[in-house]
Amino acid sequence: MGASSRLLRAVIMGAPGSGKGTVSSRITKHFELKHLSSGDLLRDNMLRGTGFPRTLPQAEALDRAYPIDLVINLNVPFEVIKQRLTARWIHPASGRVYNIEFNPPKNVGIDDLTGEPLTQREDDRPETVVKRLKAYEAQTQPVLEYYQKKGVLETFSGTETNKIWPHVYAFLQTKVPQINQKAPVTP
């Protein structure tokens, strides 16, 4: 790497279920950035798919260690996320996972193979999801305001990752060298 290609340090923020994992894996496929979880703090390229930093003190500490160049904020309506997260049902005995939207059981609430009832993980229950989303919002609002003031926040709003992604892609093209020029923008 030449001196001219300074490393871009980016953070991806978004509520649980907003599509951070999907977006960050697409970014690493198309751009020369490494996808990192919050465990790998000391790498050169930082692209976080974990929602870290979650609090203002974390954001400030991160900035002292690694000044952040860019914060991608995925702004997906809570209702959409709630639908997404509560759509998951499991068959406890086998571990089979159903999704009401993408991979529904033949009969609602019933395992296809055994005919036994499906359950929801505690995490996927509507009341738990709402609690998690409210906590996320309360905690990260000051973080988003902090990055907004620093002029590094870019917010992408939408209800579907596949509709948000082309905007994130187009924006990053102006910031980062691409590795895979021929790869299509679509997923």
Side-chain angles (χ1 to χ4, degrees), residues 126-149:
E127 55 281 10
T128 313
V129 167
V130 168
K131 234 184 271 169
R132 277 170 67 203
L133 292 174
K134 286 193 168 138
Y136 172 83
E137 191 176 49
Q139 223 181 17
T140 55
Q141 197 49 48
V143 177
L144 293 173
E145 285 164 10
Y146 170 78
Y147 287 129
Q148 179 76 52
K149 279 194 198 98

mmCIF file of all heavy atoms in Angstrom, residues 126-149:
data_model
loop_
_atom_site.group_PDB
_atom_site.id
_atom_site.type_symbol
_atom_site.label_atom_id
_atom_site.label_comp_id
_atom_site.label_asym_id
_atom_site.label_seq_id
_atom_site.Cartn_x
_atom_site.Cartn_y
_atom_site.Cartn_z
ATOM 1 N N PRO A 126 -41.950 -10.209 20.771
ATOM 2 C CA PRO A 126 -42.194 -8.772 20.508
ATOM 3 C C PRO A 126 -41.837 -7.855 21.680
ATOM 4 O O PRO A 126 -41.185 -6.831 21.486
ATOM 5 C CB PRO A 126 -43.697 -8.723 20.208
ATOM 6 C CG PRO A 126 -44.023 -10.091 19.700
ATOM 7 C CD PRO A 126 -43.090 -11.042 20.382
ATOM 8 N N GLU A 127 -42.226 -8.246 22.912
ATOM 9 C CA GLU A 127 -41.961 -7.349 24.047
ATOM 10 C C GLU A 127 -40.459 -7.207 24.304
ATOM 11 O O GLU A 127 -39.978 -6.115 24.645
ATOM 12 C CB GLU A 127 -42.727 -7.784 25.305
ATOM 13 C CG GLU A 127 -42.489 -9.228 25.766
ATOM 14 C CD GLU A 127 -43.263 -10.302 24.988
ATOM 15 O OE1 GLU A 127 -43.877 -9.998 23.934
ATOM 16 O OE2 GLU A 127 -43.247 -11.470 25.430
ATOM 17 N N THR A 128 -39.703 -8.282 24.095
ATOM 18 C CA THR A 128 -38.246 -8.224 24.278
ATOM 19 C C THR A 128 -37.613 -7.357 23.194
ATOM 20 O O THR A 128 -36.730 -6.546 23.465
ATOM 21 C CB THR A 128 -37.631 -9.646 24.204
ATOM 22 O OG1 THR A 128 -38.397 -10.527 25.016
ATOM 23 C CG2 THR A 128 -36.197 -9.649 24.677
ATOM 24 N N VAL A 129 -38.080 -7.548 21.965
ATOM 25 C CA VAL A 129 -37.554 -6.788 20.830
ATOM 26 C C VAL A 129 -37.773 -5.297 21.047
ATOM 27 O O VAL A 129 -36.858 -4.486 20.877
ATOM 28 C CB VAL A 129 -38.198 -7.267 19.501
ATOM 29 C CG1 VAL A 129 -37.899 -6.298 18.374
ATOM 30 C CG2 VAL A 129 -37.708 -8.669 19.160
ATOM 31 N N VAL A 130 -38.983 -4.921 21.456
ATOM 32 C CA VAL A 130 -39.297 -3.508 21.691
ATOM 33 C C VAL A 130 -38.372 -2.933 22.772
ATOM 34 O O VAL A 130 -37.834 -1.835 22.623
ATOM 35 C CB VAL A 130 -40.792 -3.327 22.061
ATOM 36 C CG1 VAL A 130 -41.063 -1.928 22.602
ATOM 37 C CG2 VAL A 130 -41.658 -3.606 20.841
ATOM 38 N N LYS A 131 -38.170 -3.701 23.830
ATOM 39 C CA LYS A 131 -37.279 -3.257 24.913
ATOM 40 C C LYS A 131 -35.864 -3.032 24.394
ATOM 41 O O LYS A 131 -35.222 -2.020 24.708
ATOM 42 C CB LYS A 131 -37.265 -4.313 26.034
ATOM 43 C CG LYS A 131 -37.594 -3.750 27.404
ATOM 44 C CD LYS A 131 -37.473 -4.816 28.487
ATOM 45 C CE LYS A 131 -38.813 -5.539 28.653
ATOM 46 N NZ LYS A 131 -38.780 -6.743 29.474
ATOM 47 N N ARG A 132 -35.361 -3.983 23.596
ATOM 48 C CA ARG A 132 -33.999 -3.871 23.056
ATOM 49 C C ARG A 132 -33.868 -2.658 22.141
ATOM 50 O O ARG A 132 -32.869 -1.952 22.166
ATOM 51 C CB ARG A 132 -33.645 -5.131 22.269
ATOM 52 C CG ARG A 132 -33.158 -6.275 23.130
ATOM 53 C CD ARG A 132 -33.064 -7.572 22.340
ATOM 54 N NE ARG A 132 -32.026 -7.553 21.312
ATOM 55 C CZ ARG A 132 -32.042 -8.355 20.245
ATOM 56 N NH1 ARG A 132 -33.011 -9.212 20.057
ATOM 57 N NH2 ARG A 132 -31.062 -8.287 19.360
ATOM 58 N N LEU A 133 -34.883 -2.421 21.317
ATOM 59 C CA LEU A 133 -34.835 -1.299 20.385
ATOM 60 C C LEU A 133 -34.856 0.029 21.128
ATOM 61 O O LEU A 133 -34.122 0.957 20.783
ATOM 62 C CB LEU A 133 -35.988 -1.385 19.380
ATOM 63 C CG LEU A 133 -35.900 -2.545 18.379
ATOM 64 C CD1 LEU A 133 -37.168 -2.605 17.528
ATOM 65 C CD2 LEU A 133 -34.679 -2.430 17.495
ATOM 66 N N LYS A 134 -35.689 0.115 22.166
ATOM 67 C CA LYS A 134 -35.756 1.362 22.950
ATOM 68 C C LYS A 134 -34.437 1.627 23.664
ATOM 69 O O LYS A 134 -33.956 2.759 23.711
ATOM 70 C CB LYS A 134 -36.906 1.303 23.951
ATOM 71 C CG LYS A 134 -38.263 1.454 23.273
ATOM 72 C CD LYS A 134 -39.376 1.719 24.268
ATOM 73 C CE LYS A 134 -40.630 2.152 23.512
ATOM 74 N NZ LYS A 134 -41.837 1.532 24.059
ATOM 75 N N ALA A 135 -33.842 0.560 24.198
ATOM 76 C CA ALA A 135 -32.558 0.696 24.888
ATOM 77 C C ALA A 135 -31.482 1.149 23.904
ATOM 78 O O ALA A 135 -30.665 2.027 24.206
ATOM 79 C CB ALA A 135 -32.160 -0.628 25.546
ATOM 80 N N TYR A 136 -31.487 0.551 22.718
ATOM 81 C CA TYR A 136 -30.510 0.922 21.693
ATOM 82 C C TYR A 136 -30.631 2.400 21.362
ATOM 83 O O TYR A 136 -29.651 3.131 21.316
ATOM 84 C CB TYR A 136 -30.704 0.083 20.414
ATOM 85 C CG TYR A 136 -29.827 0.579 19.282
ATOM 86 C CD1 TYR A 136 -28.503 0.178 19.182
ATOM 87 C CD2 TYR A 136 -30.310 1.493 18.346
ATOM 88 C CE1 TYR A 136 -27.686 0.666 18.175
ATOM 89 C CE2 TYR A 136 -29.493 1.988 17.335
ATOM 90 C CZ TYR A 136 -28.188 1.576 17.257
ATOM 91 O OH TYR A 136 -27.386 2.081 16.278
ATOM 92 N N GLU A 137 -31.872 2.837 21.142
ATOM 93 C CA GLU A 137 -32.105 4.224 20.746
ATOM 94 C C GLU A 137 -31.628 5.197 21.822
ATOM 95 O O GLU A 137 -30.921 6.168 21.533
ATOM 96 C CB GLU A 137 -33.592 4.439 20.465
ATOM 97 C CG GLU A 137 -33.872 5.768 19.801
ATOM 98 C CD GLU A 137 -35.336 5.933 19.443
ATOM 99 O OE1 GLU A 137 -36.200 5.679 20.310
ATOM 100 O OE2 GLU A 137 -35.613 6.305 18.301
ATOM 101 N N ALA A 138 -31.983 4.910 23.074
ATOM 102 C CA ALA A 138 -31.612 5.804 24.174
ATOM 103 C C ALA A 138 -30.090 5.885 24.309
ATOM 104 O O ALA A 138 -29.527 6.959 24.509
ATOM 105 C CB ALA A 138 -32.232 5.306 25.477
ATOM 106 N N GLN A 139 -29.438 4.737 24.165
ATOM 107 C CA GLN A 139 -27.995 4.669 24.349
ATOM 108 C C GLN A 139 -27.226 5.326 23.203
ATOM 109 O O GLN A 139 -26.214 5.982 23.429
ATOM 110 C CB GLN A 139 -27.604 3.197 24.421
ATOM 111 C CG GLN A 139 -26.614 2.888 25.496
ATOM 112 C CD GLN A 139 -26.251 1.402 25.493
ATOM 113 O OE1 GLN A 139 -26.483 0.684 24.529
ATOM 114 N NE2 GLN A 139 -25.679 0.968 26.589
ATOM 115 N N THR A 140 -27.697 5.126 21.980
ATOM 116 C CA THR A 140 -26.885 5.560 20.844
ATOM 117 C C THR A 140 -27.207 6.960 20.343
ATOM 118 O O THR A 140 -26.424 7.514 19.577
ATOM 119 C CB THR A 140 -27.026 4.597 19.653
ATOM 120 O OG1 THR A 140 -28.407 4.477 19.346
ATOM 121 C CG2 THR A 140 -26.420 3.257 19.968
ATOM 122 N N GLN A 141 -28.306 7.540 20.762
ATOM 123 C CA GLN A 141 -28.628 8.898 20.304
ATOM 124 C C GLN A 141 -27.458 9.868 20.535
ATOM 125 O O GLN A 141 -27.056 10.572 19.616
ATOM 126 C CB GLN A 141 -29.937 9.384 20.962
ATOM 127 C CG GLN A 141 -30.587 10.576 20.263
ATOM 128 C CD GLN A 141 -30.724 10.386 18.743
ATOM 129 O OE1 GLN A 141 -31.184 9.345 18.273
ATOM 130 N NE2 GLN A 141 -30.319 11.386 17.969
ATOM 131 N N PRO A 142 -26.889 9.896 21.761
ATOM 132 C CA PRO A 142 -25.744 10.801 21.987
ATOM 133 C C PRO A 142 -24.539 10.454 21.112
ATOM 134 O O PRO A 142 -23.783 11.345 20.714
ATOM 135 C CB PRO A 142 -25.393 10.600 23.464
ATOM 136 C CG PRO A 142 -26.494 9.804 24.062
ATOM 137 C CD PRO A 142 -27.295 9.180 22.975
ATOM 138 N N VAL A 143 -24.344 9.173 20.799
ATOM 139 C CA VAL A 143 -23.230 8.751 19.944
ATOM 140 C C VAL A 143 -23.418 9.306 18.535
ATOM 141 O O VAL A 143 -22.501 9.863 17.929
ATOM 142 C CB VAL A 143 -23.107 7.204 19.900
ATOM 143 C CG1 VAL A 143 -21.991 6.778 18.962
ATOM 144 C CG2 VAL A 143 -22.869 6.649 21.299
ATOM 145 N N LEU A 144 -24.651 9.184 18.019
ATOM 146 C CA LEU A 144 -24.943 9.700 16.681
ATOM 147 C C LEU A 144 -24.769 11.217 16.638
ATOM 148 O O LEU A 144 -24.217 11.761 15.681
ATOM 149 C CB LEU A 144 -26.364 9.303 16.251
ATOM 150 C CG LEU A 144 -26.574 7.793 16.037
ATOM 151 C CD1 LEU A 144 -28.047 7.495 15.783
ATOM 152 C CD2 LEU A 144 -25.720 7.258 14.894
ATOM 153 N N GLU A 145 -25.212 11.899 17.696
ATOM 154 C CA GLU A 145 -25.056 13.361 17.752
ATOM 155 C C GLU A 145 -23.579 13.757 17.789
ATOM 156 O O GLU A 145 -23.171 14.721 17.140
ATOM 157 C CB GLU A 145 -25.792 13.927 18.974
ATOM 158 C CG GLU A 145 -27.306 13.942 18.769
ATOM 159 C CD GLU A 145 -28.100 14.131 20.066
ATOM 160 O OE1 GLU A 145 -27.489 14.442 21.121
ATOM 161 O OE2 GLU A 145 -29.341 13.959 20.015
ATOM 162 N N TYR A 146 -22.788 12.971 18.523
ATOM 163 C CA TYR A 146 -21.339 13.206 18.618
ATOM 164 C C TYR A 146 -20.706 13.126 17.221
ATOM 165 O O TYR A 146 -19.950 14.014 16.814
ATOM 166 C CB TYR A 146 -20.749 12.169 19.572
ATOM 167 C CG TYR A 146 -19.236 12.091 19.616
ATOM 168 C CD1 TYR A 146 -18.492 13.042 20.323
ATOM 169 C CD2 TYR A 146 -18.561 11.052 18.994
ATOM 170 C CE1 TYR A 146 -17.111 12.951 20.389
ATOM 171 C CE2 TYR A 146 -17.177 10.954 19.060
ATOM 172 C CZ TYR A 146 -16.452 11.904 19.759
ATOM 173 O OH TYR A 146 -15.093 11.809 19.824
ATOM 174 N N TYR A 147 -21.027 12.065 16.473
ATOM 175 C CA TYR A 147 -20.455 11.896 15.135
ATOM 176 C C TYR A 147 -21.011 12.924 14.143
ATOM 177 O O TYR A 147 -20.307 13.357 13.236
ATOM 178 C CB TYR A 147 -20.669 10.467 14.627
ATOM 179 C CG TYR A 147 -19.776 9.450 15.316
ATOM 180 C CD1 TYR A 147 -20.298 8.295 15.865
ATOM 181 C CD2 TYR A 147 -18.392 9.654 15.397
ATOM 182 C CE1 TYR A 147 -19.470 7.360 16.487
ATOM 183 C CE2 TYR A 147 -17.566 8.728 16.020
ATOM 184 C CZ TYR A 147 -18.107 7.588 16.566
ATOM 185 O OH TYR A 147 -17.290 6.670 17.171
ATOM 186 N N GLN A 148 -22.255 13.302 14.338
ATOM 187 C CA GLN A 148 -22.870 14.337 13.496
ATOM 188 C C GLN A 148 -22.077 15.643 13.646
ATOM 189 O O GLN A 148 -21.714 16.284 12.663
ATOM 190 C CB GLN A 148 -24.331 14.532 13.937
ATOM 191 C CG GLN A 148 -25.089 15.595 13.155
ATOM 192 C CD GLN A 148 -25.491 15.118 11.767
ATOM 193 O OE1 GLN A 148 -26.097 14.067 11.632
ATOM 194 N NE2 GLN A 148 -25.148 15.879 10.752
ATOM 195 N N LYS A 149 -21.791 16.022 14.895
ATOM 196 C CA LYS A 149 -21.025 17.250 15.173
ATOM 197 C C LYS A 149 -19.627 17.195 14.558
ATOM 198 O O LYS A 149 -19.095 18.205 14.119
ATOM 199 C CB LYS A 149 -20.897 17.473 16.690
ATOM 200 C CG LYS A 149 -22.108 18.106 17.319
ATOM 201 C CD LYS A 149 -21.804 18.613 18.726
ATOM 202 C CE LYS A 149 -23.077 18.842 19.518
ATOM 203 N NZ LYS A 149 -23.394 17.706 20.426
#
